[in-house]
């Protein structure tokens, strides 16, 4: 199911909620233009240009015009994405780099997650930022983060892909709890060493995904909730508030308080930070 949330000349936003049954036969689709899609819930497989990606909450799907792709749903967890479709002129202004727009899939990265959650808060009416603005900010950050990097997912057997995705979903569901590597590995039925290897090869990220799940929930709460920063930190699973503030600042480029002010309409905070990073 798709819902057009915003349509303008240079950018449109679509809220996608998958209703495909697990195991349904995948079919070939074609990207009609440039797009950046934030995976906010669930998981799915993405196949394009001979590469395969397993995308989970916090991942980014990058669409390139004319590319064929298939999405696979070998799971029982419906996925939801927020997709920003961009005019070629916008892409050229932000950075028309082949190494970015042919990337395919980007694993959950802290600096992208916080903006993805801000975008979701806007869609839900919990933030005063313009949806086109946050879409531009997210796209700019994707270009900055991905440009010049090589992110390759190692081909893995279906069983390992299933284990890694299930582990990511379990981590996401329990991220507010005090869990560690041994607990997650045990849940996956693997030794910690083998779990680390499989998780990283399939999803392109280490079990630091736990911290990123916590940051994702924190960004969502900061964008549209009145509870204190201390309460947000504790509610999402950070036992130490000062550690939360440092970790969030590294991810967002601004403090939790600054991010909350930006979500409430102080656009200059994120605009200045994004400009600083692009010039730095």
């Amino acid at each position: 199911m798709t819902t057009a949330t915003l349509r303008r000349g240079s950018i449109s936003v679509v809220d996608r909620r998958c209703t495909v049954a697990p195991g349904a036969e995948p079919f070939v689709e074609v990207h009609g233009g440039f797009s950046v899609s934030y995976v906010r819930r669930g998981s799915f497989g993405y196949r394009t240009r001979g590469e395969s990606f397993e995308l989970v909450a916090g991942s980014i799907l990058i669409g390139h015009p004319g590319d064929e792709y298939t999405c696979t749903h070998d799971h029982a967890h419906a996925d939801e994405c927020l997709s920003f479709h961009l005019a070629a002129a916008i892409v050229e202004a932000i950075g028309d780099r082949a190494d970015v727009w042919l990337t395919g899939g980007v694993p959950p990265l802290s600096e992208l997650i916080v903006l993805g959650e801000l975008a979701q808060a806007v869609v839900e009416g919990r933030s005063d930022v313009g949806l086109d603005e946050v879409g531009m900010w997210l796209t700019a950050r994707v270009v900055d983060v991905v440009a010049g990097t090589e992110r390759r997912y190692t081909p893995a057997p279906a069983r390992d892909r299933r284990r890694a995705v299930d582990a990511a979903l379990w981590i996401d569901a329990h991220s507010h709890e005090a869990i560690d590597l041994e607990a997650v590995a045990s849940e996956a039925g693997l030794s910690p060493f083998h779990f680390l290897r499989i998780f990283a090869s399939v999803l392109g990220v280490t079990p630091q995904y736990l911290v990123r799940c916590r940051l994702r929930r924190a960004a969502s709460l900061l964008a549209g909730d009145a509870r204190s920063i201390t309460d947000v930190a504790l509610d999402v699973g950070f036992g130490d508030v000062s550690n939360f503030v440092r970790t969030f600042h590294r991810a967002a480029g601004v403090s939790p308080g600054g991010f909350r002010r930006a979500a409430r309409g102080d656009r200059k905070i994120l605009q200045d930070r994004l400009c600083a990073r692009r010039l730095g």
Side-chain angles (χ1 to χ4, degrees):
M1 179 177 67
T2 62
T3 303
T5 304
L6 173 73
R7 290 189 184 278
R8 291 191 177 170
S10 58
I11 184 170
S12 62
V13 185
V14 177
D15 185 350
R16 302 182 185 276
R17 300 168 186 264
C18 178
T19 58
V20 177
E25 187 69 25
F27 56 92
V28 177
E29 301 178 74
V30 179
H31 287 294
F34 295 98
S35 63
V36 171
S37 300
Y38 175 68
V39 183
R40 64 175 185 264
R41 186 171 294 111
S43 67
F44 62 98
Y46 176 59
R47 315 288 183 253
T48 185
R49 294 188 313 279
E51 294 188 283
S52 298
F53 307 88
E54 298 297 333
L55 303 180
V56 295
S59 300
I60 297 286
L61 186 158
I62 299 178
H64 183 268
D67 278 2
E68 294 185 347
Y69 69 96
T70 59
C71 291
T72 59
H73 303 84
D74 303 325
H75 51 75
H77 306 277
D79 57 90
E80 299 180 7
C81 296
L82 193 61
S83 298
F84 296 87
H85 297 265
L86 309 151
I90 296 296
V91 172
E92 183 177 356
I94 292 176
D96 187 3
R97 299 187 49 148
D99 61 338
V100 173
W101 295 102
L102 295 176
T103 297
V106 180
L109 302 176
S110 300
E111 53 267 62
L112 303 180
I113 284 171
V114 291
L115 286 175
E117 287 303 316
L118 177 58
Q120 181 59 28
V122 174
V123 170
E124 294 174 355
R126 298 184 291 113
S127 171
D128 295 327
V129 178
L131 190 53
D132 54 343
E133 290 177 298
V134 73
M136 294 287 285
W137 292 342
L138 176 60
T139 302
R141 289 302 297 134
V142 168
V143 172
D144 287 347
V145 170
V146 176
T149 64
E150 184 176 354
R151 301 181 185 278
R152 295 296 180 187
Y153 291 71
T154 304
R159 185 183 183 190
D160 286 349
R161 295 199 305 271
R162 176 74 266 166
R163 280 175 161 172
V165 169
D166 282 347
L169 293 167
W170 188 87
I171 290 171
D172 191 34
H174 295 82
S175 60
H176 60 288
E177 303 173 7
I179 58 178
D180 55 22
L181 174 61
E182 286 72 21
V184 183
S186 176
E187 182 70 20
L190 296 167
S191 70
F193 172 79
H194 285 94
F195 172 73
L196 280 171
R197 180 179 58 81
I198 290 172
F199 197 86
S201 67
V202 172
L203 299 178
V205 64
T206 71
Q208 277 292 97
Y209 181 61
L210 170 62
V211 174
R212 297 170 191 187
C213 290
R214 290 171 175 169
L215 287 173
R216 185 164 56 85
R217 284 186 163 79
S220 179
L221 291 175
L222 290 168
D225 196 287
R227 73 189 73 181
S228 70
I229 289 173
T230 295
D231 285 344
V232 168
L234 297 177
D235 287 350
V236 302
F238 283 91
D240 181 87
V241 177
S242 61
N243 179 44
F244 165 66
V245 171
R246 288 193 303 270
T247 303
F248 192 92
H249 196 288
R250 283 197 301 271
V254 295
S255 68
F259 183 83
R260 170 170 277 168
R261 292 193 298 276
R264 291 177 177 176
D266 190 346
R267 294 160 174 81
K268 191 174 186 299
I269 293 175
L270 285 180
Q271 287 173 338
D272 288 351
R273 185 58 189 169
L274 286 172
C275 288
R277 287 192 172 190
R278 288 178 68 81
L279 294 174

